[in-house]
């Protein structure tokens, strides 16, 4: 019997090791009669044979239906308040030209945090006017690319950047549409590395210190800048709407003050992203309709209190669209068992990837789940840890999971929820080529990003 000090409280031994919890898996994932995992009408064995492992497998229908669900939920919830709301997919979660094409076709906007993300958005056919450029230290080249493309907004992040963007806009004879990122002083309940609105961090202009107001005045004094409104992003993987409420309130208070003191109208407000997703059975994410409904209530109430017209609202979900659409497919290699204090045993299951394709476990103490994908098993579940092939003991993919006792070399293992911040944060640690990303739909697979080859890596080596 597993020792409760070793097994996390939320993890219970499954009655059936083949069970797929619906909140963890993309919508078209299931097992066929033989017990093999399939997605988008394709069996994982075929995907592994054709594209190799590790492999990121994106369920196109799942990704697009989540994007559309956010688009529609926000359009509906804000229809009567401000004629709808705009959803900017946060491309840092994961972007490829093929993804940008879906975003364009499905009528979302794009949040780009670099020239590279901006470029992929444009290549995918997203209209420049529907793209926002972010970043706390944008380069001149990035600002220049945004101005050349004619992006819909540059989100200014510092006092120095106000002058820089204004000068660069003046040189080009254009007026740059801008927003201002405000640090609203909210402590989001998430890992400290991904909380972004408390005072002691690098992003934005702080409300409490008065810098936010000074920055507004500075922007309004520059004829080359058109201030659309204020922006706040409080952090990521957040389940509790309380932080968003405080943030929206503080932002709208400042919005009112700016309109009053400067006699201007700010047409927009951006409430950022950060909505949590399920990585394990304990995570209970809110649905887009609930999120949009709550935010609409909050905005309506606060605008009433402030006596202001409701500005056009935008939000920037990344993870909540991308993460659940994708699982990583690995092949199992070596396994071993260790005996823990109290007699519990832990099975180590090594896969052919690791912290190079999913750094989140090591970096944020993130939890994930896993299942044997190439077959069903009749064995009982044993406490297991899925680890990678890299040369450090922190190279863990799934810290705790009950995997079948007969899990063995050659099995395919699937880890769900890896569509956000996994491929986009992948590395070549140990000179390991990064995996391909394949989208599946209606029995057909297409490569979104091909697998790196040793030659790709050697091409960078100066010899
Ligand atoms: N908007 C802004 C300004 C952001 O900085 C971010 C994320 C988002 C939107 C999207 O947040 P989401 O909806 O995806 O939570 N690498 C970390 C997450 C870093 C998020 C950075 N900014 C992770 O793997 O958890």
């Amino acid at each position: 019997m597993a020792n409760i000090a070793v097994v996390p409280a939320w993890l219970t031994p499954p009655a059936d090791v083949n069970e797929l919890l619906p909140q963890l898996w993309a919508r078209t994932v299931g097992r066929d009669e033989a017990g093999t995992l399939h997605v988008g009408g394709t069996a994982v064995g075929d995907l592994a044979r054709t594209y190799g492992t590790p492999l990121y497998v994106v369920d196109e229908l799942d990704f697009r239906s989540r994007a559309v669900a956010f688009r529609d939920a926000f359009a509906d919830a804000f229809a009567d308040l401000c004629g709808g709301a705009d959803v900017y997919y946060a491309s840092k979660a994961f972007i490829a030209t093929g993804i940008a094409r879906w975003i364009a076709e499905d009528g979302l906007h794009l949040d780009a945090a670099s020239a590279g993300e901006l470029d992929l958005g444009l290549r995918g056919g997203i209209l420049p006017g529907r793209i926002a450029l972010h970043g706390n230290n944008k380069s001149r080249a990035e600002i220049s690319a945004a101005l050349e493309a004619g992006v819909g907004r540059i989100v200014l992040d510092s006092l120095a950047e106000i002058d820089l963007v204004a000068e660069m806009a003046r040189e080009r004879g254009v007026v740059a549409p801008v927003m201002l990122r405000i640090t609203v002083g909210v402590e989001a309940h998430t890992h400290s590395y991904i909380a972004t609105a408390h005072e002691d961090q690098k992003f934005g202009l702080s409300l409490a210190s008065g810098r936010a107001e000074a920055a507004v005045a500075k922007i309004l004094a520059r004829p080359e800048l058109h201030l659309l409104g204020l922006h706040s992003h409080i952090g990521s993987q957040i389940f509790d709407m309380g932080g968003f409420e405080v943030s929206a309130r503080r932002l709208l208070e400042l919005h009112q003050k700016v309109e009053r003191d400067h006699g201007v109208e700010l047409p927009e407000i951006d409430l950022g992203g950060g909505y949590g997703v399920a990585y394990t059975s304990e995570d209970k994410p809110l649905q887009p309709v609930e999120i949009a409904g709550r935010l609409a209530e909050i905005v309506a109430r606060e605008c009433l209190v402030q006596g202001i017209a409701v500005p056009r609202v935008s939000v920037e979900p990344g993870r909540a669209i991308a993460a659940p659409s994708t699982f990583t497919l690995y092949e199992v290699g070596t396994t071993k068992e260790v005996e823990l204090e109290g007699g519990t045993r832990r099975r180590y299951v090594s896969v052919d990837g690791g912290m190079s394709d999913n750094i989140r476990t090591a970096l944020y103490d993130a939890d994930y789940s896993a299942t044997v994908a190439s077959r069903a098993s009749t064995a009982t579940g044993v406490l297991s840890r899925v680890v990678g092939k890299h040369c450090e003991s922190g190279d863990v993919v799934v810290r705790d999971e009950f995997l079948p006792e007969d899990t063995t070399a050659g099995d395919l293992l699937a880890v769900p929820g890896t569509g956000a911040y996994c491929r986009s944060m992948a590395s070549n640690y140990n000179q390991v080529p990064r995996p391909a990303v394949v989208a599946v739909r209606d029995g057909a697979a297409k490569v979104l990003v091909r697998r790196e080859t040793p030659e790709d890596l050697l091409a960078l080596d100066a010899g």
Side-chain angles (χ1 to χ4, degrees), residues 149-164:
V151 299
R153 56 177 70 164
I154 297 176
V155 184
L156 299 173
D157 209 293
S158 66
L159 289 170
E161 197 175 70
I162 295 171
D163 288 329
L164 180 59

Side-chain angles (χ1 to χ4, degrees), residues 63-255:
F63 185 106
R64 298 183 75 161
S65 62
R66 281 175 211 276
V68 166
F70 269 102
R71 182 199 67 190
D72 291 348
F74 274 88
D76 292 350
F78 285 87
D80 294 340
L81 286 179
C82 52
D86 302 313
V87 176
Y88 284 69
Y89 169 61
S91 62
K92 62 209 85 188
F94 176 62
I95 183 83
T97 306
I99 297 279
R101 211 173 280 133
W102 297 346
I103 293 297
E105 285 173 12
D106 293 338
L108 279 81
H109 294 57
L110 195 82
D111 153 3
S114 69
E117 290 177 358
L118 170 61
D119 184 40
L120 287 177
L122 293 170
R123 282 171 191 272
I126 300 173
L127 297 175
R130 298 172 81 95
I131 301 180
L133 181 70
H134 271 282
N136 67 300
N137 188 22
K138 302 174 193 75
S139 67
R140 293 182 77 93
E142 285 170 329
I143 295 165
S144 171
L147 291 173
E148 290 299 320
V151 299
R153 56 177 70 164
I154 297 176
V155 184
L156 299 173
D157 209 293
S158 66
L159 289 170
E161 197 175 70
I162 295 171
D163 288 329
L164 180 59
V165 173
E167 286 310 312
M168 291 181 68
R170 191 160 59 91
E171 282 161 21
R172 286 168 177 74
V174 297
V175 174
V178 298
M179 296 191 87
L180 182 65
R181 181 158 178 177
I182 308 294
T183 310
V184 291
V186 170
E187 297 280 343
H189 298 288
T190 187
H191 193 283
S192 64
Y193 289 6
I194 53 179
T196 52
H198 52 297
E199 291 287 325
D200 189 8
Q201 47 79 30
K202 68 176 183 169
F203 292 110
L205 289 129
S206 126
L207 199 56
S209 69
R211 283 200 190 88
E213 277 182 72
V216 167
K218 199 170 155 89
I219 294 171
L220 292 173
R222 299 294 309 228
E224 310 88 348
L225 303 178
H226 174 217
L227 182 60
L228 296 173
L230 309 175
H231 175 287
S232 163
H233 170 76
I234 60 170
S236 208
Q237 185 62 355
I238 298 168
F239 294 95
D240 172 9
M241 292 300 288
F244 294 114
E245 173 158 13
V246 176
S247 163
R249 247 191 358 243
R250 292 187 183 163
L251 215 54
L252 283 162
E253 258 169 48
L254 178 61
H255 180 105

Side-chain angles (χ1 to χ4, degrees), residues 324-380:
S325 70
T326 301
F327 60 81
T328 311
L329 193 61
Y330 299 102
E331 185 177 317
V332 173
T334 56
T335 61
K336 78 166 196 178
E337 250 178 37
V338 298
E339 192 147 318
L340 307 169
E341 222 176 296
T344 311
R345 300 175 81 76
R346 190 197 310 283
R347 166 81 60 87
Y348 277 83
V349 175
S350 297
V351 294
D352 51 355
M355 65 197 300
S356 55
D357 58 72
N358 185 352
I359 190 65
R360 298 196 68 262
T361 309
L363 191 55
Y364 311 118
D365 285 328
D367 286 308
Y368 281 91
S369 310
T371 196
V372 170
S374 43
R375 64 188 173 90
S377 171
T378 51
T380 53

